Amino acid sequence: EKEEEGVFGKRAYIKSGGFGTILGYVDVPKKDKFGFWWQEEFIGKDGLEKYYDEYLNGENGSKFVEKNALGEIESENIVNQPEHGLNLNTSIDSRLQTVMYNAIVDLSTKIGYEGGAGVIMDILSGEIIVSTSYPEYDPQIMSDGSNQQVIREYLTSPKKPFLNRAISGLYSPGSIVKPFVAIGALNENVINKNTRILSTGSIEIPNPYNPELSTIFRDWREEGHGYVDVVRAIGDSANTFFYAIGGGYKGQAGLGITKIEEYMKVFGVGEKTGVDLGGEVGGLIPNPDWKKKVFKGDAWRLGDTYNTSIGQYGFQVTPIQIVRSIAVIGSDGVIVTPSFSLESISQPQKISKDISPENYQLIKDGMRDVVLAGTGQLLNVSYMDVAAKTGTAQTGVGNKFVNSWSVGFFPYENPRYAFAVMMEKGPSKNDLSSSYVLILTRIF
């Protein structure tokens, strides 16, 4: 019996946390009640195990065994030699993966987030250095299949341990989309490097049908930010600046929802990346057609453009999308396909828009200003110059919760790595948001 149990070997997974939904698990060979093998292969059921199932599997061999009446082997003849599956070499740095995962777990426990995800990617090649999701399942327990109690808990848990939040989780982005709105406005000559807009804490839009009524769109800073140019507006995440350049306000022209959507897609926001892992989802950029379908013919309004300009109003993205999109800024217009396998690296491509190096540099300067003087000063470390953008997006009924983001690239000069950290569904009453998300970036 012991010999037969070893016929197919056994999967052994890394013990550290943070690898569950990436590695996945397998359905192992099985016998029926009479002792006959009715399943003779390992079948990948999730993660890389599933995506690269045929690559990893190999071919079973077979042999005739002749035994005597006492059950002793008289002779053996190999009919087919077994063929080993191929080894899959991943780009994941196991040390950083564990550090990122533990930091997300720690932050979730302390602050009250439901979960989180973190991704680090090589800007030049698309190699994924870190990709982790919390909470997760234990791939060893799933592959062994013997601990049915724990497996049932996984299957019924409201915390969704089978959801790979980095690849398949859709979240409101909030302010992390502002660099893309800004570069669109620069490229379409809606603004230039010298454009300065006064931020007083809110803007007021009159109701065209009733002048006595108006809608107020507020900044996150009640007293406003004063006069800001594009670099300072990114650095301090000035909502009113992006309301104005997104939808227009008084004498300032706006990019408009059509162009906002166009530039988002140019940078890959809201679209699948083609990463080599199953279950990837696209996303959503709000637009007039979407609103008509969802809100039964309701017309698109200026306020909808304002809210879209700051990453709200139905906007949904995945962390893997955002890390690739931010990488395009870091590389001055080169877009890559994220990859876990070193055997699957594809050639990077130029994006479809011609954008000047000067405009890219303004966005980079703004993201560096986030770290030097803005909302991400915890990233101002002595050993690395980091460029970043933070964001907090309201979510849930009555905006009871927030998703908190920290994204960016490093080093600031000659960027090599892009990152995205998303913390899911934290309590808005204790909105420590991006400042605490930045704790996760200590691994840099």
Side-chain angles (χ1 to χ4, degrees), residues 100-101 104-105 108 113-118 132-136 163-166 171 319 404 421-425 440:
M100 177 74 85
Y101 179 77
I104 290 174
V105 173
S108 297
Y113 289 101
E114 284 195 0
T132 192
S133 174
Y134 169 77
E136 65 172 8
L163 175 65
N164 184 337
R165 287 161 168 79
Y171 305 99
S404 300
V421 178
M422 184 282 307
M423 296 302 298
E424 177 185 357
K425 211 171 181 182
L440 301 181

Side-chain angles (χ1 to χ4, degrees), residues 217-416:
F217 295 86
R218 302 188 185 281
D219 214 313
W220 68 268
R221 180 178 288 166
E222 188 175 340
E223 68 275 20
H225 307 264
Y227 278 101
V228 291
D229 60 14
V230 65
V231 171
R232 190 82 272 272
I234 293 172
D236 220 21
S237 202
N239 283 351
T240 44
F241 182 93
F242 289 93
Y243 294 149
I245 71 168
Y249 183 64
K250 293 187 176 179
Q252 173 60 53
L255 192 57
I257 189 58
T258 301
K259 284 292 182 182
I260 289 173
E261 182 181 23
E262 180 182 332
Y263 274 88
M264 291 295 169
K265 289 182 175 180
V266 163
F267 283 85
V269 178
E271 299 190 332
K272 291 182 180 181
T273 67
V275 64
D276 55 341
L277 201 66
E280 184 181 18
V281 296
L284 174 66
I285 304 168
N287 62 34
D289 289 339
W290 165 81
K291 186 179 181 182
K292 283 180 183 178
K293 291 176 184 177
V294 173
F295 295 98
K296 299 180 180 179
D298 200 4
W300 187 267
R301 295 178 173 82
L302 177 59
D304 302 331
T305 302
Y306 285 166
N307 287 324
T308 302
S309 299
I310 61 168
Q312 299 275 8
Y313 194 56
F315 219 134
Q316 290 191 309
V317 299
T318 65
I320 193 74
Q321 280 172 31
I322 289 299
V323 83
R324 180 178 72 152
S325 299
I326 287 293
V328 177
I329 293 174
S331 64
D332 283 11
V334 175
I335 193 164
V336 296
T337 301
S339 177
F340 288 96
S341 169
L342 295 177
E343 286 80 17
S344 300
I345 303 299
S346 58
Q347 287 295 318
Q349 305 289 327
K350 288 291 289 185
I351 61 170
S352 58
K353 287 281 187 186
D354 288 328
I355 297 173
S356 70
E358 292 77 16
N359 283 342
Y360 277 116
Q361 191 59 50
L362 285 170
I363 304 303
K364 291 178 183 179
D365 290 347
M367 294 178 68
R368 181 61 180 155
D369 193 60
V370 170
V371 176
L372 294 177
T375 58
Q377 294 182 54
L378 288 177
L379 272 175
N380 192 13
V381 293
S382 60
Y383 51 86
M384 178 73 70
D385 290 341
V386 180
K389 184 72 192 78
T390 63
T392 302
Q394 295 174 324
T395 186
V397 178
N399 293 326
K400 187 178 179 181
F401 303 101
V402 293
N403 295 333
S404 300
W405 292 83
S406 177
V407 306
F409 53 83
F410 61 95
Y412 166 63
E413 301 285 349
N414 301 314
R416 180 62 188 274

Side-chain angles (χ1 to χ4, degrees), residues 156-172:
T156 59
S157 173
K159 295 183 177 181
K160 302 178 182 178
F162 290 98
L163 175 65
N164 184 337
R165 287 161 168 79
I167 308 295
S168 307
L170 286 170
Y171 305 99
S172 302

